[in-house]
Amino acid sequence: MASPFLVLGLFAIICSVAFASDPSPLQDFCVKDSNSTVLVNGFVCKDPKLVQADDFFYRGLDIPGNTSNPVGSRVTLIDVERISGLNTLGISLARVDYVPGGLNPLHTHPRATEIMTLIQGTLQVGFVTSNPENRLITKVLHEGDVFVFPRGLIHFQWNIGHGNALAISSLSSQNPGINTVANVVFGSQPDISADILVKAFQMDKNVVLDLQSKF
Ligand code: GLV
Ligand code: MN
């Protein structure tokens, strides 16, 4: 019979793989060195002796994002590109603004779970589980409500209130990534062949071409 230590060791290894998000830091911090041309997973560390408070600082999240766009929402993402001290820390932040009727359209974060707090307004939010269930989990949020979007799952937020809405999200990666479904499918560069999309979505070719021209 396998020793309990072996079993525990295997369990620890399986857990660390199954629950992996951004790799854990091996030092207090590793501020992104913007001058380095070395390519690693994340960014090379700046000399810790040269690190300043401003490497951990961003000013301006009180300013609403520009919602003058066809979906009427704007995500302002504070990731490692905006705060270089986030490098290796596995966390980022977003401000999301919505006009009445504004939609943060169907998207996924390939590298992060998102936890959202609604500061102002009323949102309908939701995500869809993987195949084969494809279950829609949805909820109406009011001010002060908190909702979680699990990593990798397609989700949305829709402002169903009469005024503007404002939400703040934390994301479990320094670089969560945003894949907006419509842009990925109908706006790839170069185009996915319309014949592939006709087959995949069982849609008329003219509809596919129209969507490709929009995205
Ligand atoms: C940001 O990506 C969000 O869903 O709020
Ligand atoms: Mn999101």
Side-chain angles (χ1 to χ4, degrees):
M1 203 174 87
S3 92
F5 293 110
L6 182 61
V7 174
L8 273 178
L10 282 175
F11 181 70
I13 291 169
I14 289 165
C15 285
S16 68
V17 172
F19 302 142
S21 57
D22 285 5
S24 298
L26 302 175
Q27 53 220 349
D28 282 352
F29 50 74
C30 167
V31 171
K32 171 186 172 186
D33 179 356
S34 302
N35 298 321
S36 173
T37 53
V38 178
L39 299 180
V40 293
N41 186 23
F43 297 98
V44 168
C45 310
K46 181 171 169 177
D47 180 346
K49 289 193 278 310
L50 302 179
V51 164
Q52 304 288 336
D54 278 351
D55 291 316
F56 301 94
F57 174 78
Y58 175 84
R59 174 170 285 152
L61 207 59
D62 56 322
I63 299 168
N66 181 356
T67 47
S68 307
N69 56 58
V71 290
S73 76
R74 174 70 62 182
V75 176
T76 307
L77 181 63
I78 310 299
D79 61 1
V80 69
E81 292 303 330
R82 294 216 167 159
I83 301 186
S84 44
L86 284 178
N87 189 38
T88 75
L89 295 185
I91 195 165
S92 56
L93 183 74
R95 169 186 176 127
V96 195
D97 290 278
Y98 315 77
V99 295
L103 175 73
N104 185 6
L106 302 173
H107 65 279
T108 71
H109 304 291
R111 294 175 287 277
T113 289
E114 171 174 354
I115 180 166
M116 168 171 273
T117 306
L118 184 59
I119 306 294
Q120 178 194 330
T122 311
L123 291 180
Q124 176 167 1
V125 303
F127 63 84
V128 181
T129 67
S130 306
N131 298 354
E133 292 83 9
N134 300 137
R135 181 172 158 218
L136 172 65
I137 310 249
T138 184
K139 180 102 185 146
V140 172
L141 304 187
H142 303 280
E143 285 172 22
D145 289 351
V146 176
F147 196 80
V148 174
F149 305 97
R151 174 175 167 171
L153 299 189
I154 289 180
H155 61 280
F156 65 88
Q157 302 107 29
W158 184 31
N159 180 2
I160 57 171
H162 296 296
N164 289 343
L166 166 64
I168 298 285
S169 282
S170 299
L171 297 116
S172 61
S173 171
Q174 68 178 39
N175 178 25
I178 303 181
N179 291 342
T180 304
V181 176
N183 299 58
V184 169
V185 172
F186 297 106
S188 67
Q189 301 283 344
D191 281 348
I192 299 174
S193 149
D195 292 329
I196 293 176
L197 296 175
V198 163
K199 191 91 158 183
F201 292 95
Q202 302 285 298
M203 270 189 320
D204 187 90
K205 192 160 185 171
N206 288 328
V207 178
V208 168
L209 294 174
D210 182 45
L211 288 169
Q212 284 185 319
S213 72
K214 287 200 176 102
F215 294 99

